[in-house]
Amino acid sequence: MGIFSKAVRTRVTEISILGANSNVKGDVKTDHTISIEGLFEGTVQSETEVTVTAAAKVVGDIKANQVIIDGLVQGNITCDQILLLSNGVVKGSIECKTISANIGARIVGSVKTTSATANLESNKEVASISSRSIA
């Protein structure tokens, strides 16, 4: 038996990056991960993950399986999982199955969790958090 007798499968993940100096207006729909590092105005849809980095700003809605926010989002977010990092700010509504937030993250709007279990109430308002005005 040789050392290469078993087939090795690797999965390549495609990532699109809107760089720090980018200023993009429009709508993006993709089946892979997108990382926003600059200014984006419009709707972002991904079958996998959307990341908004610390220096980034999104003015518009985000829809994805997973969302990671470390910058500013002014719009609504619909996802399965969301992680708000310490610099993350969301001004709008969040609808998700699970939410995690680091100390310092802020939400100015509402959070609604959805349940995947049919026996549970499918939508439950869990929080409406308002904060000081953010410059």
Side-chain angles (χ1 to χ4, degrees), residues 1-134:
M1 197 191 304
I3 61 171
F4 296 108
S5 63
K6 291 187 176 182
V8 177
R9 294 183 184 192
T10 59
R11 184 174 178 186
V12 176
T13 303
E14 291 183 49
I15 299 174
S16 293
I17 299 173
L18 299 176
N21 296 321
S22 299
N23 185 344
V24 179
K25 292 182 182 182
D27 298 328
V28 173
K29 186 175 183 180
T30 182
D31 59 355
H32 57 271
T33 298
I34 187 164
S35 178
I36 301 169
E37 299 176 357
L39 173 62
F40 182 87
E41 296 180 66
T43 301
V44 181
Q45 285 187 302
S46 171
E47 295 295 321
T48 55
E49 180 180 297
V50 173
T51 300
V52 178
T53 63
K57 179 179 179 180
V58 174
V59 179
D61 296 339
I62 297 174
K63 184 175 182 179
N65 182 32
Q66 295 180 317
V67 177
I68 300 171
I69 306 295
D70 200 24
L72 172 62
V73 175
Q74 293 177 315
N76 301 320
I77 300 172
T78 304
C79 59
D80 288 340
Q81 301 174 18
I82 186 167
L83 172 60
L84 296 165
L85 299 176
S86 59
N87 294 316
V89 177
V90 176
K91 293 182 177 182
S93 66
I94 299 171
E95 186 171 331
C96 60
K97 290 181 183 174
T98 61
I99 183 169
S100 299
N102 289 354
I103 294 173
R106 292 168 287 180
I107 300 168
V108 181
S110 64
V111 176
K112 184 185 288 188
T113 58
T114 57
S115 173
T117 306
N119 292 335
L120 296 177
E121 182 181 322
S122 62
N123 291 318
K124 184 177 181 183
E125 189 75 27
V126 295
S128 181
I129 305 168
S130 56
S131 181
R132 288 178 271 149
S133 180
I134 301 167

